[in-house]
Amino acid sequence: MTINLTYDDKIAVLDLGDDENRFSPEFLDAINARIDEVEASDAHGLVTTAGGKFYTNGLDLDWLGAHSDQLQSYVGRVQNLLARMLTLPIPTAAAVVGHAFGAGGMLALAHDFRVMRADRGFFCFPEVDIRIPFTPGMAALIQAKLSPHAAVASMTTGRRFGGADAAGIGIVDATAGEGAVTAAAVELLSPLGGKDRGTLGAIKTTMFGPAVAALTAV
């Protein structure tokens, strides 16, 4: 598992990998370390992307099944990552190049903006079908980012949204063709460079205060 950090001018581009990019403890260590690097740099924005058919498939259920005694601490780590992305003091965009399922979709929602591939890949919260209720923090994040209509449509049905459907209901901000999703996300952030980090971070922390409190209460 490798999470690569590169730069497109002043925009940091974080490639989550080319497999399912599930949130294993090693994945969480690696992504947080890379975000540390971004925050220590003079980056004007952060784009997360991936190299395979998944953006990320979310929770590592295989690891969790073998370490059920660590459920609470594991969920806490995942939710801390979501809260961190939600309030990162630079503009952020998720380049959803493939499937974004469950907590993977939540990670995309925790960014300021989302661009999704138009012709392939699904955004889906399968929790209702796999009998895993949303935690209060995860529900608060989704409801902070989506309209009530989109939240009900995505949280209670298990529906798989393609790019056009996701854009139409407001889950993503734009779509792009194969090979163009990451560039479109970078282009979205490029005009937003140079914002004062202290101010932007404070604005996000205020905007999403209830969701952050629910995410970090574990």
Side-chain angles (χ1 to χ4, degrees):
M1 181 211 64
T2 304
I3 296 179
N4 290 316
L5 175 63
T6 58
Y7 286 84
D8 187 331
D9 195 12
K10 291 281 192 177
I11 305 299
V13 179
L14 197 59
D15 188 325
L16 303 179
D18 60 4
D19 57 18
E20 292 190 21
N21 306 328
R22 288 186 179 269
F23 296 171
S24 66
E26 293 78 17
F27 178 96
L28 295 171
D29 288 340
I31 191 172
N32 276 303
R34 295 293 179 266
I35 295 172
D36 288 343
E37 292 178 35
V38 173
E39 288 204 82
S41 75
D42 64 348
H44 286 185
L46 170 65
V47 168
T48 62
T49 185
K53 71 176 191 176
F54 288 89
Y55 170 71
T56 159
N57 214 5
L59 300 183
D60 190 338
L61 298 180
D62 290 340
W63 183 90
L64 201 49
H67 301 84
S68 57
D69 59 315
Q70 299 180 48
L71 172 62
Q72 186 167 352
S73 62
Y74 173 76
V75 171
R77 291 197 66 194
V78 171
Q79 295 196 164
N80 282 333
L81 171 62
L82 299 175
R84 183 178 192 184
M85 188 63 72
L86 197 57
T87 57
L88 205 68
I90 56 175
T92 59
V96 185
V97 295
H99 301 309
F101 274 65
M106 295 172 208
L107 179 63
L109 284 185
H111 293 64
D112 299 326
F113 307 103
R114 284 151 297 287
V115 179
M116 187 171 175
R117 182 169 162 177
D119 60 330
R120 185 177 178 184
F122 292 110
F123 186 105
C124 176
F125 293 133
E127 281 77 1
V128 69
D129 292 322
I130 60 176
R131 301 183 181 183
I132 300 178
F134 295 96
T135 67
M138 291 174 176
L141 164 64
I142 297 166
Q143 291 174 277
K145 285 290 187 153
L146 298 182
S147 70
H149 173 65
V152 170
S154 59
M155 294 175 72
T156 68
T157 68
R159 176 178 164 189
R160 298 184 175 199
F161 293 86
D165 288 341
I169 204 169
I171 292 172
V172 301
D173 300 279
T175 60
E178 181 181 2
V181 180
T182 302
V186 169
E187 186 176 347
L188 200 60
L189 295 188
S190 292
L192 303 177
K195 305 295 185 190
D196 177 74
R197 289 189 178 192
T199 304
L200 182 58
I203 288 172
K204 290 187 184 182
T205 299
T206 301
M207 283 179 71
F208 303 117
V212 170
L215 285 166
T216 56
V218 177

